[in-house]
mmCIF file of all heavy atoms in Angstrom:
data_model
loop_
_atom_site.group_PDB
_atom_site.id
_atom_site.type_symbol
_atom_site.label_atom_id
_atom_site.label_comp_id
_atom_site.label_asym_id
_atom_site.label_seq_id
_atom_site.Cartn_x
_atom_site.Cartn_y
_atom_site.Cartn_z
ATOM 1 N N LYS A 252 24.797 52.642 -44.763
ATOM 2 C CA LYS A 252 23.573 52.359 -44.010
ATOM 3 C C LYS A 252 23.039 50.963 -44.334
ATOM 4 O O LYS A 252 22.518 50.262 -43.470
ATOM 5 C CB LYS A 252 22.508 53.410 -44.313
ATOM 6 C CG LYS A 252 22.766 54.755 -43.662
ATOM 7 C CD LYS A 252 21.588 55.687 -43.904
ATOM 8 C CE LYS A 252 21.820 57.019 -43.196
ATOM 9 N NZ LYS A 252 20.664 57.942 -43.387
ATOM 10 N N ALA A 253 23.177 50.584 -45.588
ATOM 11 C CA ALA A 253 22.742 49.237 -45.985
ATOM 12 C C ALA A 253 23.554 48.174 -45.257
ATOM 13 O O ALA A 253 23.022 47.145 -44.806
ATOM 14 C CB ALA A 253 22.861 49.070 -47.496
ATOM 15 N N LYS A 254 24.864 48.445 -45.104
ATOM 16 C CA LYS A 254 25.734 47.495 -44.398
ATOM 17 C C LYS A 254 25.311 47.387 -42.936
ATOM 18 O O LYS A 254 25.224 46.284 -42.371
ATOM 19 C CB LYS A 254 27.180 47.962 -44.493
ATOM 20 C CG LYS A 254 28.147 47.055 -43.734
ATOM 21 C CD LYS A 254 29.569 47.592 -43.843
ATOM 22 C CE LYS A 254 30.530 46.733 -43.020
ATOM 23 N NZ LYS A 254 31.917 47.256 -43.068
ATOM 24 N N ASN A 255 25.042 48.531 -42.285
ATOM 25 C CA ASN A 255 24.619 48.504 -40.888
ATOM 26 C C ASN A 255 23.293 47.757 -40.709
ATOM 27 O O ASN A 255 23.085 47.030 -39.725
ATOM 28 C CB ASN A 255 24.476 49.931 -40.357
ATOM 29 C CG ASN A 255 25.826 50.620 -40.219
ATOM 30 O OD1 ASN A 255 26.865 49.954 -40.076
ATOM 31 N ND2 ASN A 255 25.817 51.954 -40.286
ATOM 32 N N ALA A 256 22.402 47.944 -41.683
ATOM 33 C CA ALA A 256 21.112 47.253 -41.611
ATOM 34 C C ALA A 256 21.291 45.752 -41.732
ATOM 35 O O ALA A 256 20.623 44.971 -41.039
ATOM 36 C CB ALA A 256 20.179 47.772 -42.706
ATOM 37 N N ILE A 257 22.207 45.344 -42.606
ATOM 38 C CA ILE A 257 22.457 43.900 -42.772
ATOM 39 C C ILE A 257 23.104 43.324 -41.516
ATOM 40 O O ILE A 257 22.765 42.217 -41.062
ATOM 41 C CB ILE A 257 23.344 43.656 -44.007
ATOM 42 C CG1 ILE A 257 22.571 44.002 -45.286
ATOM 43 C CG2 ILE A 257 23.811 42.194 -44.054
ATOM 44 C CD1 ILE A 257 23.419 43.945 -46.540
ATOM 45 N N VAL A 258 24.057 44.073 -40.920
ATOM 46 C CA VAL A 258 24.700 43.617 -39.678
ATOM 47 C C VAL A 258 23.661 43.475 -38.564
ATOM 48 O O VAL A 258 23.634 42.490 -37.821
ATOM 49 C CB VAL A 258 25.817 44.596 -39.262
ATOM 50 C CG1 VAL A 258 26.318 44.269 -37.851
ATOM 51 C CG2 VAL A 258 26.966 44.536 -40.249
ATOM 52 N N SER A 259 22.788 44.485 -38.447
ATOM 53 C CA SER A 259 21.741 44.417 -37.424
ATOM 54 C C SER A 259 20.788 43.259 -37.678
ATOM 55 O O SER A 259 20.369 42.569 -36.742
ATOM 56 C CB SER A 259 20.973 45.742 -37.406
ATOM 57 O OG SER A 259 19.951 45.700 -36.436
ATOM 58 N N ALA A 260 20.431 43.028 -38.937
ATOM 59 C CA ALA A 260 19.550 41.905 -39.275
ATOM 60 C C ALA A 260 20.202 40.580 -38.940
ATOM 61 O O ALA A 260 19.551 39.641 -38.445
ATOM 62 C CB ALA A 260 19.182 41.966 -40.763
ATOM 63 N N ASN A 261 21.524 40.505 -39.195
ATOM 64 C CA ASN A 261 22.248 39.270 -38.883
ATOM 65 C C ASN A 261 22.240 38.990 -37.383
ATOM 66 O O ASN A 261 22.013 37.860 -36.940
ATOM 67 C CB ASN A 261 23.689 39.381 -39.397
ATOM 68 C CG ASN A 261 24.506 38.137 -39.069
ATOM 69 O OD1 ASN A 261 25.190 38.078 -38.051
ATOM 70 N ND2 ASN A 261 24.444 37.147 -39.954
ATOM 71 N N LEU A 262 22.456 40.044 -36.598
ATOM 72 C CA LEU A 262 22.434 39.904 -35.147
ATOM 73 C C LEU A 262 21.044 39.487 -34.664
ATOM 74 O O LEU A 262 20.894 38.576 -33.827
ATOM 75 C CB LEU A 262 22.848 41.212 -34.494
ATOM 76 C CG LEU A 262 22.755 41.274 -32.962
ATOM 77 C CD1 LEU A 262 23.684 40.260 -32.325
ATOM 78 C CD2 LEU A 262 23.081 42.684 -32.472
#
Side-chain angles (χ1 to χ4, degrees):
K252 286 186 177 181
K254 178 181 177 182
N255 291 336
I257 292 173
V258 170
S259 179
N261 179 266
L262 175 62

